[in-house]
Amino acid sequence: MANKLRVFISSTMKDLRNERQQVVDRLNFLGFEPVNAEEFSPNGQTSWEVIEPKIRDCHLFVLLLGDSYGWEPKSGYGGGEGKSVTHLEYDAARALNIPVLPFIKKLEYGSKEDTLRDAFREAVAAWDTGHFRAEFELAKDLADKVAKALVDFCTQTALKELLRLRDTQLTPPHTAVQSAEALQVHDDDKWVLLGGAGLSISAGYPTANLITSSLAAQLWPDIAARDIYTRYSFDEVAGYYESQRGRDALLQDIKALLDTPQKVWPTEAHFEAVKKFKTILTTNYDQLFELACMTSGIPYVVITPSDSKPPEKGKVSIIKLSGTISELESLRLTALDLQNVMANEAFFRVIKQSLAGRKVAVVGHALRDAHVLKALTESGISGPGIYVSPNPGPAADIILQRFNLQAKSQKADVFLASFDPTA
C-alpha cells in the first residue's frame, strides 16, 4: 500500500554512470523511489518487456543527456527505427503523458560530432514541442538541480496537479478493511510502540531532508540545499525560517508539503500497529495511525502537546509528540518548540503514565530527538525492549544499551505482522 513518488531515470549508461548514481543517491535521500536499470533483475523477458512497465508505473521521468546518443537496437522493439534505447524510453514517457524533466550535459570543447545525438537534444529542448530543461557540467551539480526540480513538484500547485493527474492513472481507490467484528482494545497491555519517520516515509510522505530542502530553497535560492542540511538540523532551519517569514508562513509551508501530490495510505505496519498496541507514541505529523484506526473500526484518541488530555479506556492512545497536521497550531517544528514540549509538565505526565512499567518497541525511529529521549529516560520503562530497523548498524549499540533495547534487523511490516504483544 506504500506509494512513494517513483522517478524513472533514463540515460545512456557508459558516459553517465556517475551522474546516474548521484541522482539515485539524492532521490533516496529525499524519500523518492528511483527506478533505474541498474536495479532491474533478469526474468526471462526481453529488455523492453522489462523496461516499458517500469516507465508506465512511474510518476516522473528524469532524462539525462550526455555525450553519447546511445545504442540503437537492430531487432526487437524499436529495431530498425534508428533510435537509441534512451530515445525510445523518452518516446514511451511522452506517449504516457508522464511529466519529463530533461537535464542536458554541456558538451566538452572539441566533442566528436554526432548527428543523432544533437538532433535528439534539439528535439527535447524545442520551444514549441519540447520541455524546459536544465544544463549541468558536474555530477554533484546535476544532483542538486534534479533535487530542486523535484522539490518544486512537491510544493508548486500547478506542478502538483500534474503529478496528481498522473497518480490517478496509477493508484486504484483504496477500499476499507473493516473487521467483521469490532476489535477490542485492551487496557492492560505490556507494550508501547514508539513509531518514527521510517513508517511515514515508507508510506510516501516526504522526509525531513525534503522539507528542509524546500525551506532552504526559499531562504537561500542560490545555495545548494545539500550545503544546508549537512550543517543544520530540520528544527534549526525551521526556527530560522520562522524568524524570517513568520510562524504562519512556516505552518502553511509544512502543510503544503504534507499535502502530497500522490495518494498516501497507511502501510500494513500501521494497520498491524493499531491492532496490537494500546499506546502509540509518534513524532510523525501525519494521520496514518488515525486513518488505520478509522478504517479498521478501532476507537482511538489523539493526544498532543496542545491538549495533554488523558488516555481513555477502550481506546488506542495516539500520543503525537510533535503535534498533528490536522491541528496546525499543535505542530512543534523549531528547536524552541521542542524545548517547550520538554517543559510541558502536563503533557509529560500523560507520557510517563503511559510508559511506566511497560516495554517499548521502537520502529522507524532513530532516537535522536531530545523530547523523545527525555520521555524514555524519565518514564520508568521496563525492559528489555525492541529496536526495529532494516540496518541497525554498530552505532545503534549506544542507544540500545542506554534504554535496554534489543536490535531486530527487520522491516516494520514484517516485524509488526509477527509481533505478539502478549508474549
Side-chain angles (χ1 to χ4, degrees):
M1 280 185 266
N3 192 22
K4 289 186 178 183
L5 283 173
R6 294 179 295 280
V7 184
F8 191 91
I9 302 170
S10 176
S11 78
T12 49
M13 294 284 196
K14 187 175 180 180
D15 60 325
L16 293 174
R17 189 174 301 277
N18 290 335
E19 286 82 353
R20 290 174 66 89
Q21 190 57 52
Q22 288 271 357
V23 171
V24 167
D25 291 345
R26 188 62 61 85
L27 292 181
N28 282 323
F29 185 73
L30 295 175
F32 297 97
E33 183 178 330
V35 180
N36 57 314
E38 290 89 334
E39 302 298 325
F40 300 168
S41 299
N43 60 6
Q45 295 179 302
T46 66
S47 295
W48 189 253
E49 287 172 337
V50 173
I51 292 171
E52 195 273 343
K54 298 286 187 181
I55 298 173
R56 187 178 292 275
D57 194 41
C58 283
H59 294 89
L60 282 166
F61 185 93
V62 168
L63 177 65
L64 311 178
L65 299 181
D67 183 69
S68 172
Y69 178 64
W71 177 69
E72 304 162 44
K74 304 303 179 187
S75 59
Y77 183 84
E81 291 186 26
K83 292 184 176 181
S84 67
V85 173
T86 303
H87 201 151
L88 293 171
E89 292 173 345
Y90 169 72
D91 286 347
R94 292 281 306 259
L96 292 165
N97 291 318
I98 302 175
V100 176
L101 305 178
F103 297 86
I104 301 178
K105 188 171 186 177
K106 293 180 181 178
L107 298 179
E108 295 181 5
Y109 179 76
S111 293
K112 183 179 178 182
E113 289 189 13
D114 187 324
T115 303
L116 288 174
R117 175 200 67 198
D118 296 340
F120 186 28
R121 283 170 162 249
E122 289 175 8
V124 168
W127 175 262
D128 52 347
T129 59
H131 312 268
F132 187 78
R133 79 285 183 197
E135 292 187 328
F136 68 95
E137 291 184 272
L138 303 176
K140 65 182 182 66
D141 297 328
L142 168 65
D144 289 337
K145 290 181 178 183
V146 172
K148 184 181 184 306
L150 295 178
V151 168
D152 287 345
F153 264 94
C154 291
T155 55
Q156 294 185 19
T157 302
L159 296 179
K160 264 188 176 182
E161 289 306 315
L162 284 177
L163 286 187
R164 287 198 171 118
L165 178 62
R166 178 65 187 152
D167 191 57
T168 58
Q169 302 166 353
L170 296 173
T171 309
H174 294 292
T175 55
V177 290
Q178 293 277 1
S179 302
E181 56 187 52
L183 292 166
Q184 298 299 311
V185 178
H186 301 286
D187 294 294
D188 58 348
D189 58 320
K190 302 176 182 177
W191 287 87
V192 170
L193 174 67
L194 173 57
L199 289 168
S200 294
I201 294 167
S202 64
Y205 272 109
T207 63
N209 296 323
L210 176 60
I211 298 174
T212 302
S213 296
S214 176
L215 299 180
Q218 296 178 64
L219 291 167
W220 306 284
D222 298 325
I223 299 177
R226 60 186 162 83
D227 294 331
I228 304 301
Y229 51 59
T230 55
R231 293 172 182 240
Y232 303 103
S233 63
F234 164 69
D235 55 270
E236 289 175 314
V237 175
Y240 184 74
Y241 187 97
E242 181 182 32
S243 72
Q244 299 299 301
R245 304 207 170 188
R247 182 70 176 184
D248 187 61
L250 174 62
L251 292 175
Q252 292 302 322
D253 281 350
I254 298 299
K255 180 182 178 182
L257 282 163
L258 293 181
D259 180 23
T260 57
Q262 83 282 24
K263 296 184 183 74
V264 178
W265 188 252
T267 66
E268 291 297 334
H270 290 93
F271 285 108
E272 290 292 333
V274 299
K275 292 176 185 176
K276 295 181 176 180
F277 291 89
K278 197 268 178 180
T279 303
I280 298 173
L281 276 71
T282 180
T283 48
N284 299 339
Y285 310 131
D286 60 71
Q287 297 180 276
L288 293 175
F289 285 119
E290 295 94 307
L291 186 54
C293 283
M294 286 188 287
T295 306
S296 303
I298 299 174
Y300 69 95
V301 59
V302 175
I303 303 169
T304 72
S306 296
D307 51 42
S308 304
K309 57 191 173 188
E312 298 179 26
K313 272 188 168 293
K315 292 184 178 181
V316 170
S317 296
I318 305 173
I319 303 176
K320 310 290 278 286
L321 296 169
S322 301
T324 178
I325 191 64
S326 63
E327 301 171 15
L328 279 181
E329 67 280 0
S330 76
L331 293 184
R332 300 299 184 259
L333 304 166
T334 69
L336 179 59
D337 288 343
L338 298 184
Q339 290 176 21
N340 291 336
V341 171
M342 289 189 286
N344 187 334
E345 293 183 7
F347 185 55
F348 265 85
R349 191 178 305 119
V350 173
I351 295 173
K352 290 175 182 179
Q353 292 171 352
S354 300
L355 286 172
R358 292 184 170 90
K359 299 180 180 182
V360 176
V362 181
V363 181
H365 203 291
L367 293 179
R368 293 191 187 121
D369 303 296
H371 60 323
V372 173
L373 298 179
K374 174 181 168 70
L376 295 180
T377 300
E378 298 181 3
S379 297
I381 57 176
S382 179
I386 299 173
Y387 181 85
V388 181
S389 172
N391 302 293
D397 290 345
I398 298 172
I399 290 291
L400 298 181
Q401 183 183 53
R402 179 177 176 183
F403 296 111
N404 192 13
L405 300 172
Q406 297 177 344
K408 260 201 178 303
S409 182
Q410 287 183 322
K411 291 185 176 180
D413 54 352
V414 174
F415 166 73
L416 288 167
S418 60
F419 179 71
D420 181 2
T422 63

